[in-house]
Amino acid sequence: MKATAKAHTNIALIKYWGKRDESLILPTNSSLSLTLDGFYTTTTVDFREGLMQDRFLLDDQPVEGDAYHRVTQFLNLIRRLAGREELYANVRSINAVPTAAGLASSASGFAALAAAGTKAIGLELNDQELSRLTRQGSGSASRSIYGGFSEWQMGSKVDGSDSFAVPIASAEHWDVRVAAVVLSSRVKKVSSRAGMKRTVDTSPFYPGWIDGISKDLREIKAAIHTKDFEKTGQIAEANCLKMHATTLAANPPFTYWNDLTMRVMQTVQEMRANGIPVYFTIDAGPNVKVLYLPEHEKSVEKTLREIPGVADVILSKPGQGISYL
Ligand code: DP6
């Protein structure tokens, strides 16, 4: 009972930042992302009679501890859905997400695991059902079921049955590019999971974050449909800044940025002042992702690479949703 699936990671333009239910992974706000072609995970799940426990290999290394625990917990959901709680699996994942890029590999990882795991055990889920299940591995992964732009609708039910992602526009609709700017320095990491919890629990700015979400979502969806790059970029950049502002007021306060992060942000704003439409967004780490249009690729890449302290710049196009190999 074996299947292999490939899933791409995604970058949020309207961020998911906060949970209303930690165990079901239900968010406090809806979010919207672009799936990226350049970053993906390929996972094979093989359920076998006679195994005494799950085994998880990531890039050919056996994984233990928390990461292993998250995978077995997620496989438990699949086993329960299929009524096959006695079956264990060998799981093998290969990440084509340069680890240093700091691009959420949990999004592509859980989307590929959900797709391969459900197929291997014989479940036939539609995209919506698959997204809802994937959400319970990692929230942002619920959006990686689809290619192009997708929206994770937060839903309102306590059982999470109406919390899943839906497609907004395909990868073919609009060729918006993303440059992942990899910085050379390292900061001590607060995981996105811990960071959003601390913010929800303690930041007085958190209600302000929630207040702006519906307007941001409504406006960015309209801008994506009409391919208004300036509008899309402005909303995404401002939404990112609002999310990061909430962390500064948390207790204890924290930030994902370092000096190089700010340097890249300023360079992006300077490029814009010089007439090149580019916008940034940042997730739970110091690296910056820059949105641009294909006709500006050369100058954007060159300018970003020239910033002292930038270790690499990885370019990506819009990517496709789940596929089975
Ligand atoms: C800042 O999806 O990694 O990247 O649901 O706890 O696994 P868990 O969190 P995760 O959080 C991603 C947060 C973010 C914004 C986003 O991708 O929307």
Side-chain angles (χ1 to χ4, degrees):
M1 303 175 79
K2 185 169 160 178
T4 299
K6 176 177 171 183
H8 293 90
T9 192
N10 66 74
I11 178 76
L13 304 181
I14 302 298
K15 306 294 183 189
Y16 147 49
W17 196 241
K19 294 182 181 68
R20 66 179 195 277
D21 183 314
E22 310 260 327
S23 66
L24 288 173
I25 310 200
L26 296 175
T28 43
N29 68 276
S30 297
S31 55
L32 185 145
S33 63
L34 174 60
T35 298
L36 299 180
D37 177 59
F39 306 89
Y40 56 89
T41 303
T42 307
T43 295
T44 301
V45 178
D46 188 3
F47 283 104
R48 286 180 186 217
E49 314 267 353
L51 291 179
M52 305 302 283
Q53 58 175 46
D54 296 317
R55 228 167 89 84
F56 175 36
L57 290 180
L58 177 58
D59 295 331
D60 292 321
Q61 300 297 315
V63 177
E64 284 160 20
D66 277 0
Y68 172 79
H69 193 66
R70 274 180 79 176
V71 167
T72 57
Q73 295 278 95
F74 189 74
L75 290 172
N76 287 343
L77 298 176
I78 295 179
R79 284 186 273 258
R80 212 169 302 142
L81 262 182
R84 299 298 304 269
E85 278 163 85
E86 78 294 353
L87 272 184
Y88 290 103
N90 284 326
V91 178
R92 185 166 175 268
S93 282
I94 304 290
N95 259 343
V97 181
T99 30
L103 265 147
S105 53
S106 74
S108 54
F110 277 98
L113 179 65
T118 50
K119 180 122 198 272
I121 212 162
L123 287 166
E124 284 180 20
L125 304 187
N126 62 31
D127 285 350
Q128 208 159 293
E129 293 164 334
L130 187 59
S131 174
R132 182 163 49 212
L133 172 71
T134 304
R135 184 202 81 221
Q136 296 173 70
S138 182
S140 55
S142 66
R143 301 181 306 237
S144 276
I145 302 307
Y146 309 99
F149 297 87
S150 63
E151 179 185 2
W152 174 14
Q153 301 180 336
M154 63 179 287
S156 59
K157 296 193 177 153
V158 285
D159 66 357
S161 55
D162 57 352
S163 186
F164 47 78
V166 297
I168 293 296
S170 70
E172 291 72 30
H173 167 70
W174 195 15
D175 189 6
V176 170
R177 305 269 168 101
V178 175
V181 184
V182 184
L183 305 177
S184 54
S185 63
R186 302 238 157 261
V187 286
K188 189 173 169 292
K189 191 154 161 51
V190 182
S191 72
S192 47
R193 195 159 280 196
M196 67 175 85
K197 177 160 173 45
R198 193 191 298 173
T199 307
V200 173
D201 290 346
T202 68
S203 177
F205 294 174
Y206 196 70
W209 160 253
I210 294 296
D211 281 350
I213 292 289
S214 345
K215 183 166 180 279
D216 285 358
L217 267 172
R218 196 171 56 241
E219 292 184 354
I220 205 166
K221 282 192 277 187
I224 290 167
H225 283 302
T226 56
K227 303 187 200 178
D228 183 338
F229 185 71
E230 275 79 8
K231 190 87 200 193
T232 303
Q234 276 163 14
I235 297 167
E237 189 172 295
N239 183 271
C240 154
L241 291 170
K242 284 191 276 185
M243 173 205 131
H244 287 270
T246 64
T247 72
L248 294 176
N251 185 14
F254 66 105
T255 181
Y256 290 110
W257 302 351
N258 63 28
D259 52 342
L260 285 173
T261 310
M262 298 210 58
R263 183 72 192 263
V264 178
M265 290 159 69
Q266 279 158 3
T267 304
V268 167
Q269 286 165 342
E270 277 160 27
M271 276 192 264
R272 218 154 56 216
N274 293 326
I276 302 175
V278 275
Y279 298 86
F280 62 75
T281 187
I282 304 161
D283 284 329
N287 293 339
V288 182
K289 288 86 182 183
V290 178
L291 304 169
Y292 63 94
L293 291 170
E295 58 264 38
H296 300 296
E297 183 152 285
K298 281 212 164 64
S299 60
V300 170
E301 183 183 11
K302 182 169 183 293
T303 307
L304 294 173
R305 282 192 186 279
E306 278 167 0
I307 304 171
V310 166
D312 201 0
V313 175
I314 305 163
L315 309 177
S316 187
K317 296 177 187 177
Q320 301 298 331
I322 292 287
S323 59
Y324 297 91
L325 308 177

